[in-house]
Amino acid sequence: MNLTKYILAAAFSFSAVVANAQEDSWAEWGPTNTSTNAGFIVRAGYTIGGTMPLPIPAEIRSINEFSPKGGATVGLDCYKMFSKRWGISAGWHFFYEGFHTSANVKNYKMSITMDGNTMGGYFTGCDVTNTDAWGMTIPVLATFRLSPRWNVSLGPYFTTYFKSSFEGEVYDNPDGVGYLRVDTPTGEKINMDRNNPATYDFKEHMRPWAGGIELAFDWKAMKHLNVFGSVDWGLSDAIEPDFDAVAFKMYPIYATFGVAYRY
Amino acid sequence: MKKFFLLPLAFAAFGFASCSDEPLNAECDIESVTLGVDTPEEVFYHAYDATQSVPSTADSIGFLIRHYVNVESIPVNLTVTPGATVYVVGADGTESLFKNGSSLDFSDEQIQRLRVVSQDGAWSRSYKLNVVHDVPSEGDMTLDFETYDLDASGKYYIWTVTDPNAVNGLFGSGDPTWKNGNPGFKLSKSSAKPMDYPSVPLVGEGPDGSACVKLETMDTGAFGQMVNMRMAAGSMFVGEFDVANALKDALKATRFGLPFKHKPVKLSAWLKYEPGTKAFQDRMGKPVEGIADEPDAYLVVYRNQDAAGNRVMLDGNDVLTNPHIVGIARLPHHYVNPEATYPRDGGGDLESNDPIHGITSEWQQYVLDVNYYEELDPEILVNNGYSMVIGFACSWQGAYFRGSIGSKLYIDNVNVICEY
């Protein structure tokens, strides 16, 4: 899975660079305003990730494709340091994020209701999903200075979505197997294939908000310029709880890498 | 302090734990049955009749054998869902493990009961398996649509034929029912009541005051749109409706015709028709200007085996055009070839604004002659080598999801007249 690689690579590079941190002066790389010990950071970054069930259920047999569409984040953070190492920050981040995935599933329980009609049962085959989201995130983070030039921040965030979509298709897997058993595994078998896939669009059932934990690392590359990486780990289901087409809770998990200007 | 560096790693490891073990199969279907007889042509009518594929909805499997043949124990081979276990259920309810090749006693048409248990042990299905002797019949039949009932799910109506010539000579005693698209409509409109389906009975509304059938072209709603099948035309036909493939390939899912040992020469039916008031629409649901919807009614006789001995069964793609067709009767229509009277020499159906089917909004009896392209071979006929289709639809292009929502065809008292 590509996302795993991205996150592991990011983690390794952070650890490696941190381990080599120089013994720079704490003051030289501290808040630019030494009287208030506070300031602003303007961030711009590249956002990748996905909205996924965790842990991945046994019904999802394999993931054929996982390609983050590549999003973007711009934001403004205010911070204040209370001591040499500890501080707090809060911000407004505007983002676009999306992903495309194709997974093989087996006996994946699903049910869809539209216009008062319900179709459901157990699906075996290939499920392709595309998501897009535009929104704003407010993180409130505790900041800890690992070293003069390295900060780590951790804390809750809250997201509101201006617009979000979750749509896709179901059809046969690469072995040509694709069918729904209506209601139960002994119900009518309805074959599906890629020549006439069933499409779905759950945008009306997406939760308009999300919440979770953000973890961010900042490295002060220059006097005013940071390089940063962060992960927003969603702890709320992306889909409305009373919508049962997706049997699993889906969590938005996105990472952002970018540069920031520090006032 | 270095422990902080491991935080991102811990996050990653938490989330991307590898997929767990594959769940065991929950399904428990008999997918096909083969009866292991030495000379299948002598027991059945065709060699391929020794094997039957079993639709997911079937729980009763009958093999038609020649009326004079006696069978006793026959080795049975089943294809079942991988991992499933099959038990033979005795008369007293005791179960014994079935192994492929085990012989079962089919003497006196006795029914063998099988229970299939899924690999995960959570699900099971019960099946009945037997052989049925062919019963000689006369050709002429009357099909009056007086006998109908709700299906097992209680969602839609099913019509059973009662004329012994129709039961024994065409439909077969195992499942003597008309087929139509109602099972497919159920998938798209789970909330529909039995009278909201495309094919419904109307009590007391036939020309003789008895029950008749109403076929209506209906909107399939949001689910129909999901699979690009925005309408369901009401239909009634002789054959099989393979609901499993109704979404995958709707034309192939309607399979027409069953073996018949007589030579039909006329199809007569009482009909009336009301075209839909909504515009004729194409598969994408877009209105098509200048096209009027038309009903359809036909009888087709075809050779049901090809030169290589394979089964031939017509479907929605070729029910009126397959080269194995030897005789056809159909309501008058326009064809791409203006000289054509029948689809076989017509170069395709021509939609138009001036239909010539002649069906009015008043009950009237229509008689269609069967036009033969070649004389039937008596030896082939007596060996179930020809199949007959009787079909009705309220939108003649409904198989292609083209027509007017609301078109209605009423049918009653259908007769097939045979020369011999």
Side-chain angles (χ1 to χ4, degrees):
Chain A
M1 238 173 49
N2 282 337
L3 189 70
T4 318
K5 276 191 299 198
Y6 288 127
I7 290 183
L8 287 179
F12 278 124
S13 56
F14 274 123
S15 328
V17 177
V18 172
N20 291 333
Q22 308 273 316
E23 281 305 313
D24 294 293
S25 141
W26 287 87
E28 184 188 344
W29 294 99
T32 41
N33 185 333
T34 48
S35 61
T36 61
N37 280 335
F40 298 97
I41 301 177
V42 178
R43 298 179 185 276
Y46 176 72
T47 297
I48 56 167
T51 300
M52 62 200 83
L54 284 176
I56 292 177
E59 287 86 341
I60 298 181
R61 296 311 312 148
S62 62
I63 294 177
N64 306 322
E65 286 172 49
F66 188 100
S67 47
K69 283 185 194 163
T73 299
V74 293
L76 174 72
D77 289 334
C78 322
Y79 70 89
K80 177 161 177 70
M81 298 304 292
F82 300 116
S83 67
K84 175 177 149 191
R85 287 189 183 270
W86 288 99
I88 190 169
S89 77
W92 296 267
H93 297 175
F94 294 87
F95 64 86
Y96 162 76
E97 60 200 19
F99 79 102
H100 162 91
T101 183
S102 158
N104 289 343
V105 301
K106 175 175 174 177
N107 286 333
Y108 183 105
K109 192 168 188 302
M110 51 156 285
S111 162
I112 307 176
T113 301
M114 293 193 294
D115 301 346
N117 293 296
T118 302
M119 185 192 230
Y122 292 78
F123 178 70
T124 297
C126 180
D127 178 9
V128 174
T129 307
N130 289 296
T131 67
D132 280 300
W134 297 84
M136 181 185 76
T137 290
I138 299 178
V140 179
L141 309 179
T143 298
F144 180 78
R145 290 182 70 187
L146 294 166
S147 72
R149 294 177 73 173
W150 273 99
N151 285 13
V152 59
S153 305
L154 183 70
Y157 71 84
F158 182 81
T159 295
T160 57
Y161 294 104
F162 309 138
K163 192 178 152 192
S164 62
S165 71
F166 190 98
E167 58 185 41
E169 296 180 336
V170 291
Y171 48 69
D172 54 334
N173 65 24
D175 297 329
V177 177
Y179 61 85
L180 175 76
R181 295 304 293 242
V182 176
D183 300 334
T184 70
T186 59
E188 286 167 296
K189 185 175 191 171
I190 310 296
N191 292 315
M192 298 185 187
D193 77 359
R194 55 197 66 215
N195 296 320
N196 193 30
T199 57
Y200 59 84
D201 182 350
F202 298 155
K203 68 169 172 283
E204 284 163 19
H205 303 281
M206 300 302 288
R207 254 197 186 147
W209 55 268
I213 299 291
E214 177 170 313
L215 174 70
F217 286 86
D218 271 88
W219 183 62
K220 293 151 198 164
M222 292 189 280
K223 177 97 182 134
H224 287 286
L225 191 73
N226 288 10
V227 177
F228 74 94
S230 65
V231 176
D232 281 10
W233 196 280
L235 297 175
S236 58
D237 192 353
I239 292 165
E240 288 175 347
D242 57 351
F243 183 61
D244 52 8
V246 182
F248 313 111
K249 288 184 162 46
M250 302 290 286
Y251 300 101
I253 295 164
Y254 287 88
T256 302
F257 303 95
V259 292
Y261 189 85
R262 196 155 49 94
Y263 290 98
Chain B
M1 210 179 294
K2 279 198 177 146
K3 62 189 175 216
F4 290 109
F5 317 149
L6 297 173
L7 262 175
L9 271 176
F11 264 66
F14 166 75
F16 299 97
S18 59
C19 293
S20 29
D21 289 343
E22 177 159 353
L24 298 175
N25 288 328
E27 290 153 74
C28 42
D29 300 311
I30 293 179
E31 291 165 356
S32 75
V33 184
T34 301
L35 299 189
V37 296
D38 296 333
T39 49
E41 293 93 334
E42 289 175 14
V43 176
F44 310 104
Y45 283 99
H46 306 96
Y48 54 69
D49 289 338
T51 298
Q52 272 192 41
S53 57
V54 183
S56 71
T57 46
D59 51 16
S60 174
I61 305 155
F63 282 83
L64 184 73
I65 61 171
R66 291 172 187 265
H67 66 90
Y68 50 81
V69 169
N70 284 316
V71 295
E72 292 179 343
S73 279
I74 304 177
V76 175
N77 276 287
L78 305 177
T79 316
V80 298
T81 309
T85 312
V86 185
Y87 298 94
V88 180
V89 184
D92 55 357
T94 54
E95 295 191 344
S96 55
L97 188 66
F98 172 87
K99 286 221 166 72
N100 263 339
S102 301
S103 286
L104 298 176
D105 186 3
F106 292 106
S107 58
D108 303 324
E109 299 193 358
Q110 64 176 287
I111 294 170
Q112 291 289 344
R113 290 167 200 282
L114 301 172
R115 195 168 76 91
V116 186
V117 179
S118 64
Q119 187 180 35
D120 69 4
W123 301 91
S124 73
R125 293 188 68 176
S126 295
Y127 289 88
K128 294 174 188 169
L129 178 62
N130 68 336
V131 302
V132 183
H133 286 91
D134 196 9
V135 178
S137 64
E138 305 290 316
D140 295 358
M141 62 180 76
T142 300
L143 305 158
D144 57 14
F145 306 105
E146 299 298 329
T147 310
Y148 50 85
D149 206 346
L150 290 173
D151 80 306
S153 69
K155 289 287 192 179
Y156 54 84
Y157 285 99
I158 294 179
W159 287 260
T160 304
V161 295
T162 52
D163 182 328
N165 287 341
V167 176
N168 298 319
L170 182 64
F171 288 78
S173 59
D175 179 20
T177 61
W178 286 96
K179 297 299 183 293
N180 55 51
N182 281 355
F185 190 76
K186 186 183 97 168
L187 298 175
S188 62
K189 281 275 177 92
S190 65
S191 66
K193 299 280 178 285
M195 288 305 288
D196 299 334
Y197 276 71
S199 302
V200 297
L202 293 182
V203 179
E205 295 196 29
D208 52 4
S210 65
C212 68
V213 170
K214 182 192 75 170
L215 309 184
E216 181 171 347
T217 301
M218 292 187 157
D219 193 318
T220 51
F223 281 105
Q225 209 164 329
M226 256 177 87
V227 290
N228 205 18
M229 298 178 177
R230 290 171 175 77
M231 66 163 63
S235 60
M236 268 315 203
F237 63 90
V238 176
E240 298 167 357
F241 181 69
D242 178 15
V243 68
N245 290 308
L247 299 187
K248 186 175 170 180
D249 188 341
L251 289 170
K252 273 217 161 89
T254 42
R255 298 206 286 251
F256 293 99
L258 290 170
F260 190 54
K261 292 191 186 68
H262 304 277
K263 184 188 180 187
V265 289
K266 282 183 197 308
L267 171 70
S268 78
W270 285 81
L271 303 172
K272 64 174 182 170
Y273 182 65
E274 297 163 17
T277 47
K278 290 209 173 156
F280 190 93
Q281 66 180 55
D282 67 11
R283 185 161 191 167
M284 303 312 293
K286 297 211 168 58
V288 183
E289 294 293 320
I291 302 288
D293 203 0
E294 302 181 34
D296 214 352
Y298 46 78
L299 183 153
V300 173
V301 180
Y302 68 92
R303 179 78 175 99
N304 58 26
Q305 189 171 335
D306 68 14
N310 300 312
R311 181 201 304 266
V312 172
M313 193 158 188
L314 307 189
D315 60 39
N317 291 292
D318 60 359
V319 60
L320 296 164
T321 54
N322 188 292
H324 285 87
I325 292 173
V326 295
I328 188 166
R330 192 190 193 190
L331 283 179
H333 294 289
H334 292 299
Y335 297 101
V336 173
N337 169 8
E339 305 295 315
T341 321
Y342 293 101
R344 198 170 125 147
D345 38 40
D349 294 344
L350 181 68
E351 294 168 351
S352 74
N353 202 18
D354 61 334
I356 52 168
H357 54 77
I359 314 296
T360 67
S361 58
E362 298 295 324
W363 279 115
Q364 206 179 317
Q365 189 181 26
Y366 297 84
V367 181
L368 306 173
D369 292 326
V370 184
N371 176 56
Y372 280 92
Y373 297 97
E374 60 186 69
E375 195 42 57
L376 301 184
D377 180 329
E379 185 61 27
I380 294 173
L381 192 66
V382 74
N383 283 296
N384 269 8
Y386 294 104
S387 287
M388 179 165 79
V389 182
I390 305 170
F392 297 93
C394 50
S395 289
W396 74 317
Q397 303 302 319
Y400 300 93
F401 304 96
R402 297 170 66 87
S404 296
I405 305 289
S407 288
K408 297 182 191 76
L409 177 67
Y410 301 80
I411 315 166
D412 203 2
N413 298 338
V414 173
N415 281 281
V416 176
I417 316 285
C418 296
E419 188 181 308
Y420 50 80

